């Protein structure tokens, strides 16, 4: 009788939910508290720089494979980094609402959580057979969407009801439960493929990174990683301060954010069901247009000061665009990873993806302080429109080249 891997998928889902929800709360939920305490848009944007270690994920991913413990490598890496993660959460719970202290602690937390993400997923994937690894990608995408509901909605309700510390205490408890789950999985599920590591260990870190960029047809994909997501992501970041400025209460914003997160999860699920019918290139092009349309709708709402159903419709359109964009990029990242260098390739692509996601919110915060919410959303919408044109033309040329090559053969 085939063995069920449902519980192992659940372990991976829980651990990724903890990491993703804590990061989303820190960078999407906490800005609401910052705005309540009088932080400017520029300060909120600069706070996003504390997520800079995500850009350096390629420096953290490769050593997990290259510098190995003699036994239980991924479990020991995860255990050590989990201790640091809990310490950062505890420090945030006791921190004062000052820019310097919050920035430094958030910087450390992002460093540890970005690093922790690598051994957790590698630990589970080594215990899954090939037939089950495709499911892990779908679970990871769904968990990220659910994390937006928890980090951007549920934890805001916890913050509004019990105060600043309790969301971070909740994440500490979730981390402890995740550690117990991983130890249980270590005892219950053996490694499926005990592949020799000599080939990886003989390659230097620079060789591992350089070989990724030397692969054919990578330039277009790398540009998409950098440009496709950050403008809709920045709008999602400033959505809660926008709703606060429109006069909504914290509780109302939390509930609306939770529903928007569910809509984003549903959008990602719908895309996963059409993978057989949509090529990656076509999905990237279409979803980039949807990003621009959603941002222009948000500009119209903020410029006209609509507080009715049109505001809710605009928020949901942004959620749909966010879910579709994150889904297609995650699928692309997984498809571009080489099996023998999965951690290194995953780290490099995550770094490229995160680079502009940090830079763009800073510029958006400056626009917010100078031009207001409508001016900021207009700028984001125009940039997203340019990106959609670039995606459509670049991918169309790439498809033509592939078609010509196939006819020539």
């Amino acid at each position: 009788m085939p063995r069920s891997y449902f519980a192992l998928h659940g372990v991976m889902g829980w651990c990724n939910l903890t990491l993703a929800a804590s990061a989303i709360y820190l960078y999407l939920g906490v800005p609401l508290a910052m705005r309540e305490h009088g932080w400017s848009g520029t300060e909120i944007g600069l706070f996003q720089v504390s997520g800079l270690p995500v850009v350096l994920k390629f420096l953290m991913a490769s050593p997990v494979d290259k510098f190995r413990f003699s036994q239980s490598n991924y479990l020991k890496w995860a255990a050590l980094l989990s201790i640091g993660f809990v310490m950062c959460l505890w420090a945030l719970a006791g921190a004062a609402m000052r820019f310097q202290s919050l920035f430094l602690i958030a910087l450390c937390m992002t460093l540890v959580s970005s690093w922790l993400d690598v051994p957790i997923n590698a630990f589970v994937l080594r215990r899954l057979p090939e037939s089950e690894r495709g499911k892990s990608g779908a679970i990871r995408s769904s968990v990220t969407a659910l994390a937006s509901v928890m980090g951007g909605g549920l934890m805001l309700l916890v913050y509004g009801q019990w105060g600043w510390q309790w969301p971070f205490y909740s994440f500490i408890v979730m981390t402890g439960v995740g550690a117990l789950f991983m130890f249980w999985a270590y005892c219950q599920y053996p490694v499926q493929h005990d592949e020799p590591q000599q080939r990886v260990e003989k390659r230097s870190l620079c060789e591992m990174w350089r070989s990724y960029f030397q692969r054919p047809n990578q330039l277009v994909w790398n540009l998409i990683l950098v440009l496709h997501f950050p403008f809709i992501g920045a709008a999602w970041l400033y959505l809660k301060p926008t709703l606060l400025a429109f006069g909504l209460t914290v509780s109302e914003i939390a509930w609306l954010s939770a529903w928007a997160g569910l809509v984003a999860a549903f959008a990602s699920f719908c895309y996963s069901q059409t993978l057989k019918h949509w090529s990656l290139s076509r999905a990237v092009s279409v979803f980039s247009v949807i990003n621009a349309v959603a941002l222009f709708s948000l500009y119209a709402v903020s410029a006209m000061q609509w507080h009715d159903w049109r505001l809710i419709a605009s928020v949901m359109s942004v959620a749909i665009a966010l879910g579709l964009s994150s889904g297609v990029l995650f699928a692309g990242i997984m498809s571009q990873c080489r099996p023998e260098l999965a951690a290194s390739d995953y780290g490099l692509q995550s770094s490229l993806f995160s680079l502009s996601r940090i830079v763009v919110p800073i510029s958006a915060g400056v626009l917010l302080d100078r031009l207001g919410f409508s001016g900021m959303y207009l700028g984001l919408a125009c940039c997203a429109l340019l990106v959609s044109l670039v995606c459509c033309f670049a991918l169309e040329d790439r498809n033509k080249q592939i078609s010509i090559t196939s006819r020539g053969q």
Side-chain angles (χ1 to χ4, degrees):
M1 180 178 179
R3 182 171 189 176
S4 173
Y5 289 89
F6 177 81
L8 187 57
H9 285 302
V11 170
M12 186 192 70
W14 180 269
C15 293
N16 281 287
L17 176 66
T18 303
L19 292 177
S22 60
I24 289 171
Y25 178 71
L26 186 61
Y27 294 109
L28 295 181
V30 169
L32 179 63
M34 295 172 177
R35 199 66 176 177
E36 282 188 318
H37 284 78
W39 287 37
S40 66
T42 301
E43 287 177 321
I44 295 176
L46 286 174
F47 181 77
Q48 303 300 306
V49 180
S50 63
L52 187 62
V54 177
V55 181
L56 304 177
K57 199 167 189 175
F58 69 98
L59 293 174
M60 299 175 271
S62 299
V64 174
D65 275 334
K66 187 170 181 60
F67 306 107
R68 304 174 61 83
F69 290 97
S70 58
Q71 292 181 343
S72 309
N73 178 60
Y74 295 132
L75 183 66
K76 291 179 180 178
W77 270 101
L80 290 174
L81 292 171
S82 294
I83 295 173
F85 182 62
V86 168
M87 292 175 64
C88 291
L89 289 172
W90 191 270
L92 279 171
M97 187 60 71
R98 293 195 300 268
F99 180 85
Q100 292 85 351
S101 58
L102 283 180
F103 182 89
L104 290 176
I105 300 172
L107 184 69
C108 294
M109 177 178 166
T110 305
L111 173 65
V112 175
S113 61
S114 299
W115 204 342
L116 179 58
D117 174 66
V118 176
I120 285 177
N121 287 281
F123 169 85
V124 176
L125 289 174
R126 288 292 302 278
R127 285 161 172 76
L128 289 173
E130 293 292 338
S131 60
E132 293 286 329
R133 293 190 178 187
K135 295 180 182 179
S136 67
I139 292 173
R140 175 70 183 271
S141 179
S142 301
V143 162
T144 301
L146 292 176
S148 69
V149 178
M150 175 175 285
L154 179 60
M155 287 303 166
L156 282 176
L157 295 176
V158 174
Y159 160 75
Q161 185 70 28
W162 291 292
W164 168 265
Q165 297 91 343
W166 283 100
F168 300 109
Y169 290 158
S170 301
F171 291 130
I172 290 174
V173 173
M174 292 176 65
T175 303
V177 173
L180 293 176
F181 283 166
M182 283 194 67
F183 182 76
W184 175 84
Y186 172 77
C187 299
Q188 295 295 321
Y189 293 92
V191 173
Q192 289 290 321
H193 302 286
D194 192 12
E195 300 171 352
Q197 296 296 322
Q198 287 81 1
R199 182 181 175 185
V200 174
E201 290 174 353
K202 288 180 179 179
R203 304 179 69 171
S204 67
L205 296 180
C206 291
E207 288 175 342
M208 294 166 67
W209 301 329
R210 186 169 60 248
S211 63
Y212 167 80
F213 292 102
Q214 290 176 342
R215 298 164 65 192
N217 298 323
Q218 282 298 108
L219 178 59
V220 173
W221 171 245
N222 292 334
L223 287 175
I224 290 171
L225 278 178
V226 173
L227 297 176
H228 192 276
F229 187 81
F231 304 106
I232 195 70
W236 189 257
L237 166 68
Y238 287 100
L239 193 57
K240 293 181 180 66
T242 302
L243 297 175
L244 190 65
F246 273 33
L248 276 70
T249 65
V250 173
S251 179
E252 290 172 336
I253 294 172
W255 280 111
L256 183 57
S257 299
W259 281 109
L262 291 174
V263 169
F266 182 73
S268 296
F269 175 78
C270 289
Y271 168 67
S272 68
Q273 300 305 304
T274 62
L275 283 173
K276 295 181 180 179
H277 309 288
W278 285 61
S279 67
L280 182 65
S281 299
R282 175 173 294 182
V284 167
S285 300
V286 172
F287 296 167
S288 65
V289 175
I290 294 176
N291 286 350
V293 172
L295 288 172
F296 275 113
S297 73
L298 202 54
Y299 159 69
V301 166
S302 58
M304 301 303 294
Q305 292 292 306
W306 289 326
H307 293 188
D308 51 12
W309 63 269
R310 287 168 290 192
L311 172 61
I312 298 176
S314 180
V315 171
M316 295 307 168
S317 70
V318 173
I320 292 172
L322 187 86
L324 293 175
S325 294
S326 60
V328 71
L329 289 179
F330 181 78
I333 287 174
M334 298 303 292
S335 67
Q336 294 295 320
C337 287
R338 294 166 291 179
E340 71 276 11
L341 292 172
S344 177
D345 288 354
Y346 175 78
L348 281 170
Q349 293 180 86
S350 297
S351 296
L352 291 173
F353 173 73
S354 302
L355 177 61
S356 56
R357 195 178 63 179
I358 294 173
V359 173
V360 170
I362 300 174
S363 303
V366 175
L367 287 178
L368 173 60
D369 289 341
R370 293 179 178 271
L371 303 177
F373 286 107
S374 60
M376 179 188 70
Y377 289 127
L378 178 60
L380 292 174
C382 291
C383 291
L385 181 60
L386 291 175
V387 170
S388 68
L389 295 176
V390 171
C391 288
C392 292
F393 284 113
L395 293 173
E396 182 66 23
D397 290 341
R398 183 179 180 183
N399 288 334
K400 287 181 179 179
Q401 292 175 2
I402 295 174
S403 178
I404 293 173
T405 302
S406 62
R407 286 199 299 268
Q409 294 175 346

